[in-house]
Amino acid sequence: METGITNPMDRRPNRPAGGKSFPRNGPPPSNGPRGKSPPAKPPLRRQVTTLWEYPSQDYGDTQQGIPGYVGATPSYIIWNMIDRYTKPGDLVVDCFCGSGTTLDVARDTGRRALGYDVHPTRKDIFKVDARKLPPELTNKVDMVFIDPPYSTHIDYGPDPRDIGKLNAAAGYYDAMTDAFKEILRVLKPGKMMGLYVSDSYEHGKAFYPLGFELFRRLQDVGFIPVDIISVVRHNKTLEMGNYRKAADEGNFFLRGFNYLFIVKKPA
Ligand SMILES: C[S@@+](CC[C@H](N)C(=O)[O-])C[C@H]1O[C@@H](n2cnc3c(N)ncnc32)[C@H](O)[C@@H]1O
């Protein structure tokens, strides 16, 4: 099984060699080609309260991750975690790597990065189950960021190990707990992990408070809580009139925020 441990900076398909380093306030906003101005993106800034918001999926004039990938993480969240908790040269791991947003942000900022997923979307993501990370990674990682499936919200592909096939009422929490144990093993003592997740509401059926349960399980396996961030969602469905009307008339709520749980491995 190839896991990229020997040289984590190899196999970058779509980023410049060596990565780019942006200053703390980030790259300048793009003006777009031939004078056409897409809505200006504000510069990246460190978020300083427990309510995070940025109006775009990507920062700067490039895209992080694969454009159009369903379920991609807004890259400013990962940028904030990396900027705050790591330094250039550190090793960042994402074991639910999806379209590779974490890899791109890590390399933009001069960090080394390793990505794992059971449905790899690009050459620099290794086909590895987050519950069985490479044995040689023990105590080697400076930060882990994950945005795992939120129970069965999205079909990511056919691999039966996909935790997104597990309902919150049947197996999801235990599978995530096994992934948390692996993340705890690979982190260096005292180092941070960010878990980005939303609760799950199945219309007319059930509400699953995924965030609260996962935060409890993180502590059960040995992580120390550092903080809980509420991240404003800019999901398109939140703006659609028919969704808003249905929520209003049906007495239910659209998901307006995600949690970002920040925890650390004991020193
Ligand atoms: C929400 S997506 C990640 C999005 C990613 N952060 C991005 O920006 O593109 C969740 C990912 O978890 C992966 N996944 C599900 N079960 C997994 C497992 N057991 N091990 C590793 N990855 C898994 C899915 O294949 C999917 O790519």
Side-chain angles (χ1 to χ4, degrees), residues 45-136:
R45 287 215 178 78
R46 268 202 187 183
Q47 304 276 323
V48 292
T49 74
T50 54
L51 181 64
W52 289 16
E53 182 162 23
Y54 185 78
S56 174
Q57 181 71 19
D58 300 286
Y59 56 73
D61 53 7
T62 57
Q63 285 189 301
Q64 298 82 44
I66 297 172
Y69 179 85
V70 177
T73 313
S75 51
Y76 84 97
I77 299 165
I78 302 169
W79 184 90
N80 263 273
M81 287 292 298
I82 285 178
D83 190 58
R84 193 174 277 276
Y85 294 123
T86 68
K87 57 186 186 317
D90 276 0
L91 178 60
V92 175
V93 163
D94 185 340
C95 50
F96 293 89
C97 204
S99 71
T101 310
T102 302
L103 303 183
D104 293 340
V105 178
R107 290 160 186 167
D108 276 349
T109 51
R111 276 64 167 172
R112 295 173 297 138
L114 283 170
Y116 304 112
D117 202 296
V118 290
H119 299 115
T121 54
R122 34 190 259 195
K123 282 191 297 179
D124 57 350
I125 298 175
F126 300 95
K127 192 169 174 64
V128 167
D129 187 336
R131 292 164 290 180
K132 282 190 184 161
L133 296 178
E136 59 272 37

Side-chain angles (χ1 to χ4, degrees), residues 194-217:
L195 164 65
Y196 184 66
V197 73
S198 148
D199 293 320
S200 172
Y201 172 75
E202 287 177 17
H203 187 48
K205 292 186 196 153
F207 169 71
Y208 298 106
L210 301 190
F212 275 38
E213 180 63 19
L214 291 181
F215 193 57
R216 188 177 68 77
R217 297 216 176 197

Side-chain angles (χ1 to χ4, degrees), residues 1-264:
M1 177 173 63
E2 196 179 356
T3 59
I5 304 303
T6 46
N7 188 354
M9 287 301 279
D10 282 351
R11 304 176 27 133
R12 285 171 288 184
N14 58 359
R15 309 298 291 178
K20 273 179 296 177
S21 253
F22 295 132
R24 167 71 32 86
N25 63 357
S30 165
N31 280 327
R34 294 172 190 266
K36 273 195 172 180
S37 297
K41 296 178 194 172
L44 281 173
R45 287 215 178 78
R46 268 202 187 183
Q47 304 276 323
V48 292
T49 74
T50 54
L51 181 64
W52 289 16
E53 182 162 23
Y54 185 78
S56 174
Q57 181 71 19
D58 300 286
Y59 56 73
D61 53 7
T62 57
Q63 285 189 301
Q64 298 82 44
I66 297 172
Y69 179 85
V70 177
T73 313
S75 51
Y76 84 97
I77 299 165
I78 302 169
W79 184 90
N80 263 273
M81 287 292 298
I82 285 178
D83 190 58
R84 193 174 277 276
Y85 294 123
T86 68
K87 57 186 186 317
D90 276 0
L91 178 60
V92 175
V93 163
D94 185 340
C95 50
F96 293 89
C97 204
S99 71
T101 310
T102 302
L103 303 183
D104 293 340
V105 178
R107 290 160 186 167
D108 276 349
T109 51
R111 276 64 167 172
R112 295 173 297 138
L114 283 170
Y116 304 112
D117 202 296
V118 290
H119 299 115
T121 54
R122 34 190 259 195
K123 282 191 297 179
D124 57 350
I125 298 175
F126 300 95
K127 192 169 174 64
V128 167
D129 187 336
R131 292 164 290 180
K132 282 190 184 161
L133 296 178
E136 59 272 37
L137 266 190
T138 302
N139 291 328
K140 294 262 171 34
V141 177
D142 295 288
M143 198 192 85
V144 173
F145 176 85
I146 58 167
D147 178 1
Y150 312 158
S151 184
T152 52
H153 277 199
I154 296 175
D155 180 1
Y156 292 106
D159 194 304
R161 298 170 299 173
D162 183 350
I163 291 173
K165 299 190 183 311
L166 299 174
N167 189 281
Y172 173 78
Y173 292 125
D174 288 344
M176 285 305 301
T177 304
D178 289 342
F180 294 160
K181 287 179 188 163
E182 279 296 84
I183 292 167
L184 190 69
R185 173 177 69 77
V186 303
L187 274 173
K188 292 178 182 169
K191 296 292 184 175
M192 303 288 178
M193 170 199 170
L195 164 65
Y196 184 66
V197 73
S198 148
D199 293 320
S200 172
Y201 172 75
E202 287 177 17
H203 187 48
K205 292 186 196 153
F207 169 71
Y208 298 106
L210 301 190
F212 275 38
E213 180 63 19
L214 291 181
F215 193 57
R216 188 177 68 77
R217 297 216 176 197
L218 283 167
Q219 293 164 80
D220 287 348
V221 307
F223 281 103
I224 299 171
V226 173
D227 220 320
I228 299 177
I229 310 296
S230 180
V231 179
V232 176
R233 298 185 73 187
H234 286 279
N235 193 312
K236 280 196 190 102
T237 53
L238 287 176
E239 305 308 325
M240 289 163 70
N242 52 338
Y243 277 77
R244 298 182 83 88
K245 190 163 179 280
D248 186 23
E249 291 175 355
N251 278 339
F252 65 93
F253 297 98
L254 306 172
R255 304 289 100 212
F257 74 94
N258 271 32
Y259 304 95
L260 173 64
F261 295 120
I262 305 175
V263 292
K264 73 174 173 186

